[in-house]
Amino acid sequence: MKCRFVICIPVFDNPGTIVDVIEACLLETPHPVFVIDDGSQISVESLFKARCGPGEKRVSFYRDDQNQGKGQALQRGFVEAVRCGFTHLIAIDGDGQHVPAEIVKLERAAIESPWALIVGDRDMKSQNVPASSVFGKKFSNFWVRYQTDVGVGDSQSGFRIYPLYLLQNMKFYCKKYDFEIEVLIRLIWSGVAVRNVKISVHYFPPGIRVSHFDKWKDNLRISILNTLLTIGAMLREQTSPFKSSLALGLGVFVGTLPIYGLHTGIVGFLALIFRLNFVYIWVGTNISIPPLVPFLVYGSHVIGSNILLESSLPTNLLPISWIFGSIVLGVLLGVLFGMTLFVVKRSRLKSGKNKGIDELKSKSKNRNTWSGENANRPGILFVEMLLRLFGQRWAYASLYFIVFYYFIASRSTRVSLEQYWKITHPSLGFWKRQLKIYQQILIFAKTLVDRGIQRAQRDSDPPYFSYELDDSAKEVFRAFSSNPRGIVAVTSHIGGWEIATSFLARIPTEKKMLVVMHGIPGQYAHQSLESSTSKTQPIFFNLNENTLLKVKDFLREKHIVGMMGDRPVTKSYELQLFFGKLAAFDTTPFRLALACESDICFVFALKKGNRKYKILANQFSPSDSLNREILLASALNEYIRQLEKVVLSDPTQWFNFFPFWKASPHSQTSAS
């Protein structure tokens, strides 16, 4: 992935330093500079043009008439940077505290770790560093580690590089200096790594230094934020079986003690001190609910009496045996409940539907990806039975009920498609979006039924499904037979691409077609493409089985290869604007085509009726450029443009059921 950087300087009333900072950024880097003027009394743009003139095109100025706060200024920078297609934003303060020449150090770290948040770790041993800043850095770092279990070198540093793809759909609540803490914690909680880079810092002497940090108001905001984040950290799910079982066991122990009315306060304090999940530890205290209290009292008394060897205790000594026995009983019950939870969670990690622990941990860090698993296998088996017994119409009829259940039960799919409709059709209201989402899942389910039909009817003549071609598709397919080169047909998870392959197999040409499938062999009846005599052959993408080598051999023999371009399956991907937001697109098909000197075309198939599909196709016509990277970028941009047109023409046939503008490609498993 190529990183596209933009420098963002939020500034408020720093007339003595801001122009120097802008000039230094322009001198030390080739990147554009966004200056976010947060209501300065003297316009920063006028200051810059008075010294440097109006000819500098790399600087863009954005101004708010009233001061909104540094956090609000940075968020505006994020929006403008995404709108312009940048992948990373370099934030640097306008008060001269940071050294623009050190941008290259942070930039190098971002290129090595493009999905990480890069934080400049200030050297607080420099001259004129106020003691309050030294203390503030250490104090803030302590709370960040407590809230995240991650060590951050300088949680208060404003010199950072933000990965915009992971920020573009987040909503933030802080607008002042506390924003930098909020965005740091929330990115870490969402699984984003943090890389610390040592930087120098320049503080002006006290008489010259300009700071808009209000020691009372801003410290109060940060304190309130830290309190809320700490509560959030206590409530967050612990992925470690040990920590979860420890929290539950400790809660059971405290709940067994005869200190009624104080259980919640005590476990809250223990959760804060030992950073344990408050939900687990509080649930443990509920062992002392009223129906169980008599049993706990009696059990504690019996245990205490036996241990103290007092078979007949005087009435005034009953509390002693009760208290002593409750401690022993609490330990026993705490260990029992804790060990039970540990065994359960550990066994789930080990089994994990035949997945390894490392894969499960990776998946837990990013739950927004398409798993490639068939989560509704019983429903599909039922539909397949109806299809065999009664045909397409009855199978379709059953889908209305199955899809409604799936729509209600699958929250993750619903949330992902909510994002899709909000980005592609922002004017739709809530209820219209729900209807569209239901229709979207229903059409997808019907294409699954169609795949089963194709598998059963693949040798029928005439074919079961009819195909309508637009004018450009007719021209593209007419040229297939006479094309002396290999062809890469790039498509997407939209409509019925697998169904259309039966049409491609009937094109009068000597060329064979290799369809590269993404996902699990056998998933959703992908076997429908398999035929010993068919010119169309499927292959499931697998790096361990050298799929790319097989594809290259196929192209060098002048055949056709069909590949998806909308879900990265290798490390070859780029972040590009798609409906105004950054999205990850696979460059593998384009790189293969260029490497094998093959032609590129874009092919899409939309379902238009029970037995009809419309096929859209366009030939990519490259420019005269001999630069492979320019050709690659040109092909990718044309593919995205064509994909946007197809999505707008029939948005309910978009079948990427994961957060397309959010899920990280480096942990995403693709499925068709």
Side-chain angles (χ1 to χ4, degrees), residues 9-24 35-36 40 42-45 47-48 51 61 92-96:
I9 310 174
V11 57
F12 171 62
D13 282 346
N14 287 113
T17 58
I18 182 58
V19 177
D20 292 334
V21 173
I22 297 172
E23 286 187 310
V35 179
I36 313 297
S40 299
I42 304 175
S43 166
V44 176
E45 184 175 7
L47 290 173
F48 180 79
R51 182 193 297 186
F61 294 91
I92 184 171
D93 290 346
D95 59 2

Side-chain angles (χ1 to χ4, degrees), residues 156 177-178 210-219 222:
Q156 291 189 334
Y177 287 97
D178 48 354
V210 176
S211 174
H212 300 290
F213 185 88
D214 190 299
K215 294 182 178 179
W216 294 103
K217 291 183 180 179
D218 288 310
N219 273 321
I222 292 175

Side-chain angles (χ1 to χ4, degrees), residues 42 62 146 173 296 313 339 456 510 536:
I42 304 175
Y62 303 90
Y146 176 86
Y173 305 98
L296 293 177
L313 286 171
M339 287 299 296
E510 295 299 319
T536 304

Side-chain angles (χ1 to χ4, degrees), residues 272-285:
L272 178 66
I273 296 298
F274 298 108
R275 200 186 177 280
L276 296 172
N277 185 293
F278 179 76
V279 173
Y280 277 116
I281 198 170
W282 178 79
V283 167
T285 63

